[in-house]
Amino acid sequence: AGLLVAGEPLAVGAYCPPNCTGLPSPAEKPAEVKKEEKVRDDGPVVDLSTPEGQALAKETDRVYIDFSVGTNLSTSRVVIALYGTVVPKTVENFKALVSGEKGFGYKGTSLYRIVRGLQISIGDVEGNLGRSGKSALTGGTFDQENFRLLHSVPGMVSMVNTIDKEVDSRFFISTRPSVEPAYSRIFDGKYVAFGRVVEGFDVVLQLDALEATGGVFQKGVNSGRPKEAVTIQACGLLPPK
């Protein structure tokens, strides 16, 4: 399918939280770990920018998502590789939501938040407003599986956290076209990564560049809901490569 918007993606200023550039100053004290927090032992981290990481993260599945913008029902496709050897439960949840096998899923839902130059968020299968979601495995939420996959390459796909640090159906796609270590640290250890965009990243960049409006999700610079509805018209499973 063709691109959603003619021409090249817009050159835009990327949203950058205070901790996304450079290393902390030596004078800064490290954040204290709360006593009630458990120390996680998820196993070796997986960095897809290295041959070692690529060997650890075997692609188990692929899915496609076809997006439309506004009233134009022509679609553009994004293909996501999934890493079920690293996060099997998260991948099974995502696949079930893509296929709609439980009677609900991603088809017909809308992109609900753009943080330009950082991420786009999708997947509220409950209210379609970004405030709720529902797991295909539990009908509610489930615990974050692990943080092994790093956000060290463009186009990583990760679960959105609930207020209780659990996950449901909502997910986001990292939109920065190049990744530096400080950027990866914004997400690493906080959000469960489970896939990567392997086709259609140009489409992702065009969605990232859409004009956004204000509202509950307007936090930071160039952040909010897209002014024109971005809808998943179709989605499904593909054989892995």
Side-chain angles (χ1 to χ4, degrees):
L3 292 181
L4 292 163
V5 183
E8 295 296 320
L10 298 177
V12 297
Y15 170 66
C16 186
N19 64 336
C20 80
T21 55
L23 296 173
S25 166
E28 294 179 6
K29 294 183 179 180
E32 294 183 2
V33 177
K34 296 180 181 179
K35 292 183 179 179
E36 65 269 19
E37 290 182 352
K38 295 180 180 179
V39 176
R40 300 181 63 108
D41 183 12
D42 292 331
V45 297
V46 179
D47 183 349
L48 293 176
S49 69
T50 67
E52 296 80 9
Q54 294 166 18
L56 284 172
K58 295 296 184 183
E59 178 185 330
T60 56
D61 308 272
R62 283 194 177 202
V63 302
Y64 69 89
I65 300 177
D66 292 342
F67 290 100
S68 68
V69 175
T71 57
N72 185 350
L73 296 184
S74 63
T75 60
S76 291
R77 176 165 292 188
V78 172
V79 176
I80 300 170
L82 306 177
Y83 302 106
T85 57
V86 182
V87 276
K89 185 174 183 179
T90 307
V91 165
E92 285 305 309
N93 180 61
F94 189 74
K95 286 168 55 183
L97 290 162
V98 165
S99 69
E101 63 191 58
K102 302 294 185 180
F104 63 93
Y106 292 136
K107 183 177 179 180
T109 62
S110 300
L111 192 159
Y112 63 83
R113 186 187 182 201
I114 297 170
V115 185
R116 190 172 293 178
L118 190 71
Q119 65 171 51
I120 57 174
S121 300
I122 325 160
D124 180 353
V125 300
E126 287 271 79
N128 211 20
L129 296 172
R131 299 184 180 93
S132 58
K134 181 166 68 171
S135 163
L137 302 183
T138 67
T141 62
F142 62 93
D143 291 339
Q144 295 169 315
E145 190 168 4
N146 65 58
F147 301 124
R148 290 182 61 197
L149 273 166
L150 302 182
H151 298 78
S152 55
V153 292
M156 290 301 292
V157 186
S158 309
M159 298 303 293
V160 170
N161 293 338
T162 70
I163 194 170
D164 296 319
K165 297 294 189 289
E166 295 177 321
V167 297
D168 43 43
S169 57
R170 291 167 291 174
F171 67 99
F172 67 90
I173 302 174
S174 302
T175 58
R176 184 156 273 171
S178 62
V179 175
E180 63 279 2
Y183 167 80
S184 183
R185 285 199 301 269
I186 299 171
F187 300 118
D188 294 341
K190 304 177 184 70
Y191 300 94
V192 179
F194 61 91
R196 183 188 183 187
V197 173
V198 290
E199 296 178 25
F201 190 61
D202 51 352
V203 175
V204 171
L205 293 179
Q206 294 213 12
L207 295 178
D208 178 75
L210 291 174
E211 188 175 1
T213 184
V216 66
F217 292 109
Q218 187 172 16
K219 298 177 182 178
V221 180
N222 295 326
S223 171
R225 187 182 305 279
K227 284 191 172 181
E228 289 190 284
V230 178
T231 305
I232 296 177
Q233 295 292 344
C235 51
L237 307 181
L238 296 169
K241 290 186 178 180

